[in-house]
């Protein structure tokens, strides 16, 4: 074997003649492109092009239905969250006991001359009443829990309906719920390079959306602690905070007092990360 | 032709030009894919996926690098995404076990019986991914340090240090086995 030098750079010296040997070995194994593979690929490209055209002509009603399903899912989530807050046992018990304690303190002020024994009796009554309140709360929670279980059992087909949402492909506008024309500012931060760019000009916002609209997002439940980019979108009365990790995209939307949290994945996260890198590079002067 | 492609992608009309790209860079794409996934059928699937992506993204190709570097980058990313999803599904190609595990004496004895090209190929493929990336770009694809840095989305300094480490690892693996030929 001869030493082969690709250029004068010692660093690049291919002393094992790797290229030659790799090609020889791959030739021996018959790893090369056949006419059949080229034709199959061209066929797949044409087929994909036709499918894309059909998708582009998908009636508006389908997209509206999809958005309605997403909105319904968010609403169910919000109602569930509110119900948990409303029936939170510790919160209710604490509030009731505090109110009771307050009234007993007032009673104590009015009956300042009552003996210690009377004070003890007051405590006993307070404890008993608190116990009754606890029981009432538990009964309420018990019946609520049972109802939920029954409802859950009844709603199994509905659950499937929600699961089927993960089959839908959503656009960037769908997942952020902020249209391009409503955006006031966009802040993009690269955690790898520590670059932060804020966009306010419509032309920049349009450019950013044109990058993100190349991707389709699907619901995903995978946990991902990695952070490559963080993006903050500020609209008229809503905000969207997006974390792009190596595997999933986490989106927190707030619209006035209503908040939602969702996770998505894209087909090719690496490409998305690369595209964002190129996008930021164009602003990094 | 290639020069034109590198400098001006605005002339692409996908129906015709994508075929040119497939014919010009297809072998590189298929072979790189094979070196990552180590299975010809999967490599062919990746080949198709890469050129579908190339076709879809051609209009957004910014010309920050040569078209070849861009296609190689898409290929490597697609392979890594495939391996990542295979890992998530806990599906590991059988060849990976065999080729990544050239560690015992008996493995070395077996390798010694094979011809030099195959031995070098196996050694390159057994390198950890980050070293294999730079070897494939620099040696197999004849890229410059700067082009490899763009293709792999890492700093030029990182390419240099990984290349140096890769060479040292290859030396350790190959010296004494193909020494007569050097």
């Amino acid at each position: 074997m001869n030493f082969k030098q690709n250029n004068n750079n010692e660093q690049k010296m291919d002393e094992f003649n790797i290229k030659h040997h790799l090609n020889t070995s791959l030739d021996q194994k018959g790893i090369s492109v056949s006419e059949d593979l080229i034709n199959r690929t061209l066929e797949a490209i044409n087929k994909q092009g036709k499918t894309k055209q059909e998708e582009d002509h998908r009636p508006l009603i389908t997209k509206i239905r999809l958005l309605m399903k997403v909105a319904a899912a968010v609403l169910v989530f919000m109602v569930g969250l509110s119900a948990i807050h409303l029936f939170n046992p510790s919160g209710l018990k604490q509030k009731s006991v505090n109110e009771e304690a307050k009234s007993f303190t007032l009673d104590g002020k009015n009956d300042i001359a009552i003996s210690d024994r009377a004070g003890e009796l007051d405590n006993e009554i307070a404890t008993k009443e608190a116990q009754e309140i606890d029981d009432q709360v538990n009964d309420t929670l018990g019946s609520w829990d049972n109802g939920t279980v029954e409802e859950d059992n009844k709603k199994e087909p509905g659950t499937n309906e929600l699961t089927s949402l993960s089959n839908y492909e959503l656009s960037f506008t769908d997942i952020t719920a902020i249209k391009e024309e409503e955006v006031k500012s966009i802040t993009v931060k690269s955690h790898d390079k520590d670059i932060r760019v804020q966009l306010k000009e419509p032309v920049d916002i349009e450019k950013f959306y044109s990058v993100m609209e190349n991707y389709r997002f699907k619901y995903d439940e995978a946990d991902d602690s990695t952070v490559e980019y963080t993006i903050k979108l500020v609209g008229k009365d809503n905000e969207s905070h997006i974390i792009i990790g190596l595997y999933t995209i986490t989106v927190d939307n707030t619209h006035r007092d209503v908040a939602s949290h969702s996770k998505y994945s894209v087909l090719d996260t690496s490409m998305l990360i690369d595209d964002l890198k190129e996008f930021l590079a164009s602003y990094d002067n | 032709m290639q020069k034109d492609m590198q400098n001006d992608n605005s002339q692409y009309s996908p129906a015709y030009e994508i075929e040119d790209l497939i014919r010009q860079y297809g072998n590189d794409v298929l072979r790189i894919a094979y070196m990552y996934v180590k299975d010809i059928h999967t490599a062919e699937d990746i080949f198709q996926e890469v050129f579908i992506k190339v076709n879809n993204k051609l209009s957004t190709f910014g010309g920050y690098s040569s078209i070849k570097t861009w296609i190689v980058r898409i290929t490597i990313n697609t392979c890594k995404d495939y391996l990542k999803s295979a890992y998530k599904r806990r599906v590991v190609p059988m060849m990976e076990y065999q080729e990544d595990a050239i560690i015992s004496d008996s493995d070395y004895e077996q390798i010694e019986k094979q011809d030099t090209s195959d031995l070098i190929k196996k050694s390159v493929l057994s390198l950890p991914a980050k070293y294999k990336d730079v070897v494939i770009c620099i040696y197999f694809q004849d890229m410059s340090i700067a082009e490899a840095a763009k293709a792999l989305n890492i700093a030029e300094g990182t390419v240099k240090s990984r290349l140096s480490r890769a060479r040292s690892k290859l030396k350790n693996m190959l010296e004494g086995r193909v020494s007569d030929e050097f």
Side-chain angles (χ1 to χ4, degrees):
Chain A
M1 184 188 294
N2 300 320
F3 280 93
K4 184 187 171 190
Q5 202 164 341
N6 290 333
N7 58 18
N8 293 329
N9 187 351
E10 190 270 337
Q11 198 109 33
K12 278 194 69 188
M13 191 173 70
D14 184 1
E15 59 200 297
F16 298 111
N17 206 352
I18 288 168
K19 183 174 183 174
H20 166 76
H21 285 293
L22 285 177
N23 278 326
T24 306
S25 176
L26 293 168
D27 282 341
Q28 281 171 357
K29 280 195 174 283
I31 311 292
S32 56
V33 176
S34 63
E35 201 60 33
D36 176 53
L37 179 60
I38 293 174
N39 290 334
R40 275 190 285 137
T41 307
L42 287 170
E43 211 171 283
I45 288 169
N46 288 333
K47 204 174 171 184
Q48 206 241 6
K50 279 179 191 169
T51 316
K52 206 179 172 189
Q53 270 182 345
E54 280 166 13
E55 269 180 16
D56 288 346
H57 289 99
R58 196 168 54 170
L60 185 65
I61 191 78
T62 317
K63 287 181 180 176
I64 292 170
R65 274 183 194 154
L66 173 65
L67 275 175
M68 282 172 72
K69 281 182 180 176
V70 173
V74 171
L75 197 67
V76 167
F77 176 73
M78 294 307 300
V79 168
L81 210 65
S82 308
I84 289 167
H85 276 295
L86 194 67
F87 292 99
N88 185 332
S90 58
L92 186 57
K93 194 184 342 178
Q94 191 64 44
K95 196 180 171 191
S96 307
V97 170
N98 285 345
E99 278 172 8
E100 290 298 314
K102 213 174 178 181
S103 67
F104 277 109
T105 312
L106 287 171
D107 289 348
K109 273 182 187 172
N110 292 337
D111 305 329
I112 200 153
I114 295 174
S115 68
D116 289 348
R117 177 59 191 151
E120 279 172 24
L121 280 174
D122 277 351
N123 285 339
E124 277 173 22
I125 292 165
T127 313
K128 201 178 169 185
E129 286 193 8
Q131 185 62 46
E132 280 171 7
I133 290 165
D134 276 354
D135 290 345
Q136 280 173 7
V137 168
N138 287 336
D139 285 348
T140 311
L141 282 172
S143 60
W144 182 69
D145 282 346
N146 290 339
T148 312
V149 170
E150 280 165 17
E151 273 175 29
D152 283 350
N153 289 338
K154 281 179 198 164
K155 281 187 179 174
E156 252 183 31
T159 316
N160 290 339
E161 206 172 290
L162 282 178
T163 313
S164 70
L165 280 175
S166 62
N167 296 327
Y168 287 105
E169 292 187 337
L170 302 168
S171 70
F172 183 67
T173 309
D174 291 336
I175 66 164
T176 57
I178 305 180
K179 288 179 190 167
E180 187 189 319
E181 55 272 20
E182 292 171 356
V183 175
K184 285 183 174 174
S185 73
I186 300 173
T187 310
V188 186
K189 190 182 175 199
S190 160
H191 284 251
D192 182 31
K193 308 268 177 185
D194 203 22
I195 301 170
R196 186 176 171 277
V197 171
Q198 190 170 45
L199 313 168
K200 287 186 174 174
E201 295 299 322
V203 63
D204 295 325
I205 291 167
E206 188 190 342
K207 197 175 158 191
F208 176 79
Y209 265 71
S210 73
V211 171
M212 298 306 287
E213 288 294 347
N214 280 328
Y215 293 90
R216 288 292 171 266
F217 301 80
K218 283 185 170 186
Y219 281 103
D220 198 316
E221 291 174 352
D223 285 326
D224 182 9
S225 57
T226 62
V227 180
E228 294 292 310
Y229 289 92
T230 50
I231 300 166
K232 182 185 174 186
L233 264 65
V234 180
K236 281 177 189 165
D237 47 14
N238 45 0
E239 276 189 18
S240 188
H241 294 257
I242 302 149
I243 299 172
I244 296 180
L246 287 172
Y247 311 106
T248 57
I249 291 112
T250 311
V251 181
D252 286 285
N253 291 335
T254 49
H255 185 268
R256 296 193 182 115
D257 293 336
V258 182
S260 68
H261 174 86
S262 312
K263 283 182 189 171
Y264 304 91
S265 61
V266 291
L267 187 63
D268 191 343
T269 319
S270 311
M271 284 289 275
L272 172 60
I273 289 170
D274 282 353
D275 280 354
L276 282 172
K277 189 191 171 193
E278 278 187 11
F279 178 79
L280 279 189
S282 65
Y283 288 92
D284 187 27
N285 296 320
Chain B
M1 174 76 176
Q2 190 179 349
K3 191 80 178 167
D4 289 344
M5 280 181 174
Q6 285 177 9
N7 293 335
D8 180 14
N9 66 69
S10 60
Q11 61 180 309
Y12 289 125
S13 61
Y16 174 72
E17 303 285 356
I18 190 67
E19 188 172 345
D20 282 353
L21 293 175
I22 293 174
R23 291 190 185 280
Q24 191 162 358
Y25 303 114
N27 244 4
D28 291 325
V29 168
L30 185 69
R31 289 184 169 196
I32 290 172
Y34 178 80
M35 283 193 274
Y36 277 91
V37 299
K38 299 160 188 171
D39 173 75
I40 184 60
H41 301 295
T42 313
E44 286 187 352
D45 288 346
I46 286 174
F47 172 93
Q48 290 199 344
E49 200 180 326
V50 166
F51 282 107
I52 287 172
K53 281 181 187 172
V54 166
N55 185 55
N56 289 343
K57 307 276 286 178
L58 211 50
S59 57
T60 62
F61 171 59
Y64 301 109
S65 60
S66 73
I67 191 89
K68 182 184 171 184
T69 305
W70 185 63
I71 292 173
V72 168
R73 186 171 81 175
I74 292 173
T75 308
I76 292 175
N77 284 341
T78 307
C79 291
K80 285 182 175 177
D81 280 345
Y82 166 79
L83 293 172
K84 198 168 71 185
S85 63
Y87 175 78
K88 270 176 140 178
R89 295 193 306 268
R90 300 292 187 270
V91 177
V92 180
M94 285 304 290
M95 288 297 286
E96 194 158 357
Y97 276 123
Q98 294 165 13
E99 297 189 346
D100 274 357
I102 309 172
I103 44 171
S104 71
D105 287 346
S106 60
D107 287 337
Y108 282 127
E109 282 165 20
Q110 197 184 343
I111 286 167
E112 275 180 333
K113 290 173 191 167
Q114 295 165 355
D115 69 22
T116 309
S117 294
D118 212 27
L119 173 60
I120 288 177
K121 189 199 83 180
K122 280 181 182 289
S123 302
V124 170
L125 267 56
S126 73
L127 287 171
K130 58 185 180 181
Y131 301 129
K132 185 165 66 179
D133 293 344
V134 290
V135 168
I136 286 176
C137 286
I138 302 274
Y139 294 144
F140 188 57
Q141 288 300 316
D142 288 325
M143 285 185 188
S144 66
I145 299 282
E147 282 173 327
K150 276 183 188 170
L152 299 171
N153 203 7
I154 53 178
E156 288 185 26
T158 312
V159 174
K160 286 178 189 169
S161 61
R162 285 185 186 175
L163 186 62
S164 163
R165 191 90 181 98
R167 286 176 62 193
S168 144
K169 278 181 175 287
L170 283 173
K171 261 184 189 171
N172 287 339
M173 278 192 265
L174 296 170
E175 267 177 1
R177 290 179 178 79
V178 289
S179 55
D180 292 343
E181 295 188 49
F182 288 108

